[in-house]
Amino acid sequence: MVALHLVPSFSVCLLPVPHGAGQEDAEPVTGRPRSLRANSLFSEDELVEDYYDAPPANSGSSWSDNGPSPRLPAPAFSGSSPGTLGDGMEGTAATAPLSPTIKAGWLDKNPPQGSYIYQKRWVKLDADYLRYFDSEKDAYSKRFIPVSSISRVTSIGDQKFEVITNNRNFVFRAESDADRNEWIRTLQQIAEERKSKALERTLMSPTTSGAADPADKSGFLELRGFKHKLFVAVAGDKVFLYKNAEDYRLGIGITYIEMNVGNVKEVDRRGFDLTTPYRIFSFSADSDQEKEEWVEAMQQSIAEALSNSEVAERIWVVESNRFCADCGSPKPDWASINLCVVICKRCAGEHRGLGPGITKVRSLKMDRKVWTEELIELFHQIGNAVANQFWAANVPPSEAINPASSSQERRRFLIAKYREGKYRRYHPLFGNQEELDRALCAAVTTSDLAETQALLFCGAAVTCATGDPQCPTPLALAEKSGQRLQMEFLLHNKNSETPRLEVGTSEEKPYSVPLPSVTHNGFLYKTPSMAKPVGERKGQEEFSRRWCTLQDGVLSYYENDRNAVPNGEIKVEEIVCLVNNPPNAHGIESTFEIYIESERLYLFGLESPDSAREWLKSIAKSFVHPRAEELLALDFERIGRLHYKGGLNLERAKEGWFALAGSTLHVCFEDSERQEPLQLRKLQELSIQGDNEVLVLVERRRTLYIQGERKLDFLGWVHAIQKAAGSAGDTLSEQQLTESDVPLLVDRCIDYITQCGLTSEGIYRKSGQNSKTTSLLEMLRRDARSVRLKEGEHQVDDVANTLKRFFRDLGDGLFTRQWGQDWLRATALEDEEAKISEYRRLLGTLPTVNRATLKALINHLFRVQRFSGENQMNTHNLAIVFGPTLFQTDGKDYKAGRVVEDLISHYVKIFNVNDQEMKKQQDEIMAIMKMREAASSGTQQAGDFICTVYLEEKKTEAEQHVKIPATMTAEELTFEILDRRKIVMKEKDYWSCFEVNEREEAERPLHYSEKVLPILHCLGTESYLVVKKQMSMENMLIYLASRVGDCKHGMMKFREERNLLGLGLSTGFHDRYFILNHTCLRLYKEVRSHKPEKEWPVRNLKVYLGMKKKLRPPTCWGFTVFYENEKHEKQQWYLCCDTQADLREWFATFLHVQNGGALWPSETSKVRASRSQQDSRLGNISLIPLRGNESEMRNSVAAFATDPLTLLRNV
């Protein structure tokens, strides 16, 4: 009699679920979903093996409070276990096609323990696994056996054969002896091939023998419908299911799920579904945090599965690139593009921690845009072999790492290898800067990339002077010599830091003096450590009470105060950030977060705020450097160390200590004796550069670059600084402010109305649209720094209504509740001088921000009433409107209006406006009046405008919003941008302003004396201005100085743009002969022609570098030329040169003849002086933002007159 072993039923719907769809989206194709038996994953024969052992008490995930638990031991058989994704996974890399089936067929399988009951199974063999299924139509196997674990296959008679692994045997029966023999032969052949490959790998890379790359995430999970937990491993682009941890170690599993067809969806607090077109796997984790980690791991697995492996396959062509340059793991799919090394995923995480100044990490499979042909070729030429001959020339065996090394071991090794250069092969010229630079200049002209690498990372400067005026930098030398790969290597390392071996070990590196010994102990509530920011509120039940001690530089936490062995510990030298959360942010009243170098976050809490504050002070004092101890006196929200660049030295990142308290960021710089406060609400600019790698803060022309060396704590700093830099409430002091302490919201509205609404009839009396006012006020309150008011998009009455509503809704009011009644009582004074004196006294009692805001507003209303003849808003009318608004009354008390009327009438005396300031105000008013008069008469003049200008490239973080006066030249604009970013122009730096036409794929450097405003007037929506270096200027100046005569002639390839009627040259480029002199450009059909086919006056030409790629130019050295005659008829055509030198010579000649021979100013200091004088002359004339589409810009910019200075000459 056969004993039947019953198991819980397990129903899975076989639904055609598209990738990315949730469970509720699935619809059956026909009929009801099929109910599968429990043995769809486990069969009766496996149940006999009694593998439903309960997991250990601490079974959960393989992650503990201290990070990853020690890796499970590797199996004893040759090669790596698929459980740990070693040999068993060869041929099944992410996105690689599935291994082809070598043999498949029906076999009878005999269960173990002597049972004679056979079950029919569909068996498949490929290069990696022997798998068997219930049916040939099943997608997921009942068991997989890695080929690498098969030691031998033997015949045991009666059509049976036995597959013998190192730990378990499997018996199968074929239908005939011939079929059995074929199975035995095929299995033996595949197993032998796999053993040979494993041996070759061991010989080639000894560091990989005996160790395998661990799974990205592994541990026990409940699978709905089963009594006991399964052991699950997420590795690469697959999820593996095992009966238990023992099978995981042995590498013999149930099935695996290809994640390129998977989708993960959270179901409840601990549950989530993994959906595929064939089955829905419903998992449940031990906790909410565990569930989040599993979901994140599976989502990353899906991303890896859907990535493109084309680049990886090309990089892996080089043998050494098939193994991680640091630990030796097989098939690494990440790389450092500046170090030219291929690395595994775990090492890539530690590389990121070194910062972009040391190593720039990119994925071979996901960051497809970065992988140009030159970069791929560079990895073929350098790659892991050549790179390690330099970086790992002197690695002691005791310090080397392997695929099983922990995160801490990897971090320690990589810091020593790349940041400190401890193991590098020193160049013979090391220490001699002059000789290193000279050798680098010589090396870049050859193909010796290894020499360039050694020189660069031993101290040679990538931007050193070459002594060659035609090629002032090594990059220019490499370009001249045609060394493309040298250029690529230099470009990726233009900001790389030179390794520096610090005194002491890498663990001691952050501190130059011993840290103070701090002792503290007591009970704390604690959650499991996390690898990502706390995304949601933690309930009290998620905290565990632990006895904690801070002693001898270690924070230890125990199960209780009687235990002698801690559950875990945190070394204070590894702490990088401490965060004091707001009260009741979580289920425990007072909580704080600790971030450590290994990208882990610890959340602690206490019910007593005073006790929590004592812990915060003790922990902060234990890890903050003594030179930054004054930060400890602050009531900080966040404190820690970050890398930064600032001042005039931007070559090397330095380490500073930062503390955020309210809206002030306090910084202890490396070379400063005292901390410096940065008022975040007064920042002129706050932006993110790169791939969330650098935070840029610009305040009072001082720029600070904070680098994200570690992703976890850096993101926390970014969000905290962004929040602190925004408006925090409804009082004046909580708003974003200008340098003069006026709320940015008020400043934006006043500027716009001054420029666009001074002559608007009924200004401030007429109401705007309520919905638009509400929306605009909300945007300005959220972040006024990012709001640009645009003429045409925003109506004057809407902006005016926004300003009034801001003051009416202001918490505590403009005059404050404490002093408001005193202001109203002052109106009863009959003596004017006494009244003015009382107003001045009350003005002095107001807070700084209120006083500055009141002065700015009354100054604005003083201007408005000067235009009362047009806007019908005299002083009395303005007082009627603003009295109740500013005092927040119902309008029945006339005294509120009297105060505002007195303030406007006696503006000069009350606010102590001196003659110089008054003169400037009068000048501005007269200038605006003249501009309005000119506009009404049809002869408009230009005012000042806001224009977006980019620095070096068009990116959001490179935006600069600049006031463009009518007289501003391109040189003045260039200096304005450089000054804002604290960039010092060196002698050979030819910074210029370029007009870029994206549609034509061309750009034109503006002449230094060219006026910017008329160019802005003509810019279309696909054009913009950018300030960057003009790399060819030095060569052009040398050419013009050495040539004879003013003419240039020669052959170029010519193509004319077809006009709307289809006239012009039909297609392609044609050889033509050109002569350029100081008056015109002539085109001849050939050299011998006497009569030109075309002739154009030089003054009517605009020459741009570059042309559209879709034209298929015959060379890459071309011009786009625009011609416009006196009748405003336009032509456009293209020229191509044979060499880059020809291009430079033609372009230099064009600039020479168009600008009277002056290509570059002889002196630049005068420009800065004249520009500053002009700024003081113009004062604060309000600005019109220049944005929007072409028609909007044309409407907002007045036609530019021949002599713009006539606007101000009679003022």
Side-chain angles (χ1 to χ4, degrees), residues 9-32:
S9 62
F10 177 56
S11 299
V12 180
C13 297
L14 291 174
L15 307 177
V17 183
H19 177 63
Q23 183 176 356
E24 66 275 8
D25 299 323
E27 293 290 341
V29 177
T30 55
R32 284 175 44 189

mmCIF file of all heavy atoms in Angstrom, residues 9-32:
data_model
loop_
_atom_site.group_PDB
_atom_site.id
_atom_site.type_symbol
_atom_site.label_atom_id
_atom_site.label_comp_id
_atom_site.label_asym_id
_atom_site.label_seq_id
_atom_site.Cartn_x
_atom_site.Cartn_y
_atom_site.Cartn_z
ATOM 1 N N SER A 9 -3.244 22.914 -0.801
ATOM 2 C CA SER A 9 -3.495 23.210 -2.216
ATOM 3 C C SER A 9 -2.881 24.546 -2.588
ATOM 4 O O SER A 9 -2.775 25.440 -1.767
ATOM 5 C CB SER A 9 -5.004 23.246 -2.480
ATOM 6 O OG SER A 9 -5.592 24.268 -1.726
ATOM 7 N N PHE A 10 -2.496 24.673 -3.832
ATOM 8 C CA PHE A 10 -1.853 25.903 -4.316
ATOM 9 C C PHE A 10 -2.430 26.235 -5.678
ATOM 10 O O PHE A 10 -2.242 25.490 -6.632
ATOM 11 C CB PHE A 10 -0.334 25.662 -4.426
ATOM 12 C CG PHE A 10 0.420 26.815 -4.982
ATOM 13 C CD1 PHE A 10 0.327 28.052 -4.386
ATOM 14 C CD2 PHE A 10 1.228 26.669 -6.100
ATOM 15 C CE1 PHE A 10 1.036 29.126 -4.883
ATOM 16 C CE2 PHE A 10 1.929 27.732 -6.615
ATOM 17 C CZ PHE A 10 1.840 28.954 -5.994
ATOM 18 N N SER A 11 -3.195 27.282 -5.771
ATOM 19 C CA SER A 11 -3.848 27.666 -7.019
ATOM 20 C C SER A 11 -3.159 28.859 -7.615
ATOM 21 O O SER A 11 -2.984 29.871 -6.943
ATOM 22 C CB SER A 11 -5.323 28.009 -6.767
ATOM 23 O OG SER A 11 -5.994 26.881 -6.261
ATOM 24 N N VAL A 12 -2.799 28.749 -8.859
ATOM 25 C CA VAL A 12 -2.163 29.856 -9.573
ATOM 26 C C VAL A 12 -2.874 30.031 -10.894
ATOM 27 O O VAL A 12 -3.131 29.063 -11.592
ATOM 28 C CB VAL A 12 -0.666 29.571 -9.823
ATOM 29 C CG1 VAL A 12 -0.053 30.741 -10.551
ATOM 30 C CG2 VAL A 12 0.055 29.324 -8.509
ATOM 31 N N CYS A 13 -3.232 31.266 -11.218
ATOM 32 C CA CYS A 13 -3.951 31.538 -12.465
ATOM 33 C C CYS A 13 -2.977 31.638 -13.610
ATOM 34 O O CYS A 13 -2.043 32.422 -13.553
ATOM 35 C CB CYS A 13 -4.740 32.850 -12.343
ATOM 36 S SG CYS A 13 -6.004 32.767 -11.060
ATOM 37 N N LEU A 14 -3.223 30.849 -14.620
ATOM 38 C CA LEU A 14 -2.420 30.959 -15.839
ATOM 39 C C LEU A 14 -3.051 32.015 -16.726
ATOM 40 O O LEU A 14 -3.907 31.732 -17.543
ATOM 41 C CB LEU A 14 -2.366 29.623 -16.555
ATOM 42 C CG LEU A 14 -1.568 28.529 -15.837
ATOM 43 C CD1 LEU A 14 -1.708 27.228 -16.582
ATOM 44 C CD2 LEU A 14 -0.118 28.934 -15.730
ATOM 45 N N LEU A 15 -2.659 33.273 -16.535
ATOM 46 C CA LEU A 15 -3.276 34.391 -17.248
ATOM 47 C C LEU A 15 -2.248 35.075 -18.108
ATOM 48 O O LEU A 15 -1.102 35.249 -17.699
ATOM 49 C CB LEU A 15 -3.852 35.390 -16.238
ATOM 50 C CG LEU A 15 -4.816 34.800 -15.193
ATOM 51 C CD1 LEU A 15 -5.226 35.906 -14.248
ATOM 52 C CD2 LEU A 15 -6.006 34.181 -15.871
ATOM 53 N N PRO A 16 -2.641 35.518 -19.283
ATOM 54 C CA PRO A 16 -1.699 36.256 -20.148
ATOM 55 C C PRO A 16 -1.524 37.673 -19.657
ATOM 56 O O PRO A 16 -2.204 38.587 -20.093
ATOM 57 C CB PRO A 16 -2.388 36.211 -21.523
ATOM 58 C CG PRO A 16 -3.848 36.121 -21.183
ATOM 59 C CD PRO A 16 -3.953 35.343 -19.901
ATOM 60 N N VAL A 17 -0.638 37.889 -18.686
ATOM 61 C CA VAL A 17 -0.438 39.224 -18.108
ATOM 62 C C VAL A 17 0.671 39.932 -18.843
ATOM 63 O O VAL A 17 1.795 39.456 -18.864
ATOM 64 C CB VAL A 17 -0.071 39.109 -16.618
ATOM 65 C CG1 VAL A 17 0.063 40.490 -16.016
ATOM 66 C CG2 VAL A 17 -1.128 38.296 -15.885
ATOM 67 N N PRO A 18 0.406 41.066 -19.459
ATOM 68 C CA PRO A 18 1.480 41.808 -20.119
ATOM 69 C C PRO A 18 2.489 42.265 -19.091
ATOM 70 O O PRO A 18 2.148 42.513 -17.943
ATOM 71 C CB PRO A 18 0.752 43.017 -20.752
ATOM 72 C CG PRO A 18 -0.702 42.697 -20.656
ATOM 73 C CD PRO A 18 -0.881 41.745 -19.556
ATOM 74 N N HIS A 19 3.722 42.402 -19.529
ATOM 75 C CA HIS A 19 4.763 42.905 -18.628
ATOM 76 C C HIS A 19 4.411 44.306 -18.168
ATOM 77 O O HIS A 19 4.116 45.176 -18.942
ATOM 78 C CB HIS A 19 6.107 42.930 -19.346
ATOM 79 C CG HIS A 19 7.172 43.513 -18.482
ATOM 80 N ND1 HIS A 19 7.548 42.927 -17.302
ATOM 81 C CD2 HIS A 19 7.914 44.635 -18.609
ATOM 82 C CE1 HIS A 19 8.488 43.649 -16.735
ATOM 83 N NE2 HIS A 19 8.734 44.694 -17.521
ATOM 84 N N GLY A 20 4.484 44.499 -16.869
ATOM 85 C CA GLY A 20 4.147 45.809 -16.326
ATOM 86 C C GLY A 20 2.712 45.890 -15.833
ATOM 87 O O GLY A 20 2.325 46.812 -15.170
ATOM 88 N N ALA A 21 1.849 44.895 -16.147
ATOM 89 C CA ALA A 21 0.464 44.960 -15.703
ATOM 90 C C ALA A 21 0.335 44.369 -14.326
ATOM 91 O O ALA A 21 1.033 43.471 -13.927
ATOM 92 C CB ALA A 21 -0.436 44.229 -16.692
ATOM 93 N N GLY A 22 -0.616 44.836 -13.554
ATOM 94 C CA GLY A 22 -0.841 44.308 -12.218
ATOM 95 C C GLY A 22 -1.744 43.101 -12.279
ATOM 96 O O GLY A 22 -2.287 42.702 -13.307
ATOM 97 N N GLN A 23 -1.928 42.469 -11.123
ATOM 98 C CA GLN A 23 -2.735 41.251 -11.069
ATOM 99 C C GLN A 23 -4.168 41.521 -11.476
ATOM 100 O O GLN A 23 -4.796 40.723 -12.147
ATOM 101 C CB GLN A 23 -2.656 40.671 -9.644
ATOM 102 C CG GLN A 23 -3.419 39.358 -9.495
ATOM 103 C CD GLN A 23 -3.231 38.775 -8.113
ATOM 104 O OE1 GLN A 23 -2.499 39.310 -7.325
ATOM 105 N NE2 GLN A 23 -3.884 37.681 -7.836
ATOM 106 N N GLU A 24 -4.690 42.691 -11.055
ATOM 107 C CA GLU A 24 -6.098 42.952 -11.350
ATOM 108 C C GLU A 24 -6.339 43.211 -12.828
ATOM 109 O O GLU A 24 -7.459 43.205 -13.287
ATOM 110 C CB GLU A 24 -6.585 44.160 -10.537
ATOM 111 C CG GLU A 24 -5.919 45.469 -10.920
ATOM 112 C CD GLU A 24 -4.597 45.664 -10.194
ATOM 113 O OE1 GLU A 24 -4.152 44.728 -9.527
ATOM 114 O OE2 GLU A 24 -4.042 46.757 -10.314
ATOM 115 N N ASP A 25 -5.263 43.424 -13.609
ATOM 116 C CA ASP A 25 -5.430 43.693 -15.027
ATOM 117 C C ASP A 25 -5.539 42.411 -15.854
ATOM 118 O O ASP A 25 -5.856 42.447 -17.033
ATOM 119 C CB ASP A 25 -4.266 44.532 -15.552
ATOM 120 C CG ASP A 25 -4.184 45.868 -14.857
ATOM 121 O OD1 ASP A 25 -5.248 46.429 -14.563
ATOM 122 O OD2 ASP A 25 -3.064 46.318 -14.621
ATOM 123 N N ALA A 26 -5.225 41.274 -15.241
ATOM 124 C CA ALA A 26 -5.156 40.039 -16.013
ATOM 125 C C ALA A 26 -6.555 39.532 -16.341
ATOM 126 O O ALA A 26 -7.450 39.536 -15.511
ATOM 127 C CB ALA A 26 -4.396 38.982 -15.215
ATOM 128 N N GLU A 27 -6.731 39.077 -17.560
ATOM 129 C CA GLU A 27 -8.004 38.507 -17.996
ATOM 130 C C GLU A 27 -7.730 37.143 -18.625
ATOM 131 O O GLU A 27 -6.821 36.994 -19.425
ATOM 132 C CB GLU A 27 -8.681 39.412 -19.024
ATOM 133 C CG GLU A 27 -9.136 40.763 -18.459
ATOM 134 C CD GLU A 27 -10.294 40.621 -17.512
ATOM 135 O OE1 GLU A 27 -10.967 39.581 -17.546
ATOM 136 O OE2 GLU A 27 -10.526 41.559 -16.736
ATOM 137 N N PRO A 28 -8.501 36.122 -18.254
ATOM 138 C CA PRO A 28 -8.291 34.803 -18.864
ATOM 139 C C PRO A 28 -8.653 34.830 -20.340
ATOM 140 O O PRO A 28 -9.564 35.526 -20.759
ATOM 141 C CB PRO A 28 -9.244 33.898 -18.063
ATOM 142 C CG PRO A 28 -10.279 34.828 -17.518
ATOM 143 C CD PRO A 28 -9.619 36.146 -17.308
ATOM 144 N N VAL A 29 -7.939 34.055 -21.103
ATOM 145 C CA VAL A 29 -8.209 34.001 -22.541
ATOM 146 C C VAL A 29 -9.469 33.188 -22.813
ATOM 147 O O VAL A 29 -10.376 33.618 -23.496
ATOM 148 C CB VAL A 29 -6.997 33.400 -23.278
ATOM 149 C CG1 VAL A 29 -7.291 33.278 -24.755
ATOM 150 C CG2 VAL A 29 -5.783 34.280 -23.059
ATOM 151 N N THR A 30 -9.535 32.007 -22.227
ATOM 152 C CA THR A 30 -10.729 31.181 -22.420
ATOM 153 C C THR A 30 -11.043 30.468 -21.115
ATOM 154 O O THR A 30 -10.137 29.972 -20.428
ATOM 155 C CB THR A 30 -10.508 30.121 -23.525
ATOM 156 O OG1 THR A 30 -9.346 29.357 -23.181
ATOM 157 C CG2 THR A 30 -10.287 30.770 -24.882
ATOM 158 N N GLY A 31 -12.311 30.365 -20.813
ATOM 159 C CA GLY A 31 -12.751 29.578 -19.669
ATOM 160 C C GLY A 31 -12.205 30.060 -18.359
ATOM 161 O O GLY A 31 -11.744 31.166 -18.196
ATOM 162 N N ARG A 32 -12.298 29.161 -17.365
ATOM 163 C CA ARG A 32 -11.845 29.506 -16.021
ATOM 164 C C ARG A 32 -10.352 29.265 -15.895
ATOM 165 O O ARG A 32 -9.788 28.398 -16.560
ATOM 166 C CB ARG A 32 -12.581 28.631 -14.997
ATOM 167 C CG ARG A 32 -13.996 29.050 -14.756
ATOM 168 C CD ARG A 32 -14.682 28.075 -13.839
ATOM 169 N NE ARG A 32 -13.838 27.705 -12.715
ATOM 170 C CZ ARG A 32 -14.129 26.741 -11.855
ATOM 171 N NH1 ARG A 32 -15.242 26.056 -12.007
ATOM 172 N NH2 ARG A 32 -13.336 26.470 -10.859
#
